[in-house]
Amino acid sequence: MSAHCQLTGAKPGFGNRVSHSHRRTSRRFDPNIQRKRYWLPSEGRYVRLTLSAKGVKTVDVIGVEAAVARIRARGVKV
């Protein structure tokens, strides 16, 4: 599963691990990605969305219909 949110577009950030001796090695900051299943009343079916924790909260606020509309507006198939 790729580490990006379908709703907010959150993707991994990249940076460096810095050791005690100040040597730097590459690292990756992954967003908190969850797979959630929502009932979509307009289509009479469940949809499974890959969302960040912030994306889950956004769906709670705006509703699943509006969230799916935003995802489809970005060109992602649901």
Side-chain angles (χ1 to χ4, degrees):
M1 170 169 68
S2 63
H4 78 279
C5 177
Q6 291 179 312
L7 183 59
T8 63
K11 293 180 180 174
F14 295 89
N16 290 309
R17 276 189 187 87
V18 181
S19 70
H20 180 69
S21 64
H22 217 65
R23 291 179 62 95
R24 290 155 193 255
T25 55
S26 186
R27 67 160 293 178
R28 175 175 154 149
F29 298 90
D30 284 330
N32 184 4
I33 297 295
Q34 310 292 326
R35 290 201 66 188
K36 295 278 287 178
R37 195 175 82 141
Y38 291 100
W39 174 251
L40 196 59
S42 63
E43 298 182 17
R45 69 184 181 104
Y46 285 99
V47 291
R48 191 175 296 275
L49 302 177
T50 305
L51 301 170
S52 62
K54 183 178 179 180
V56 172
K57 294 174 190 174
T58 303
V59 171
D60 291 343
V61 172
I62 67 173
V64 68
E65 296 284 347
V68 168
R70 282 190 196 179
I71 292 170
R72 287 182 174 150
R74 297 179 78 223
V76 178
K77 183 182 172 192
V78 176

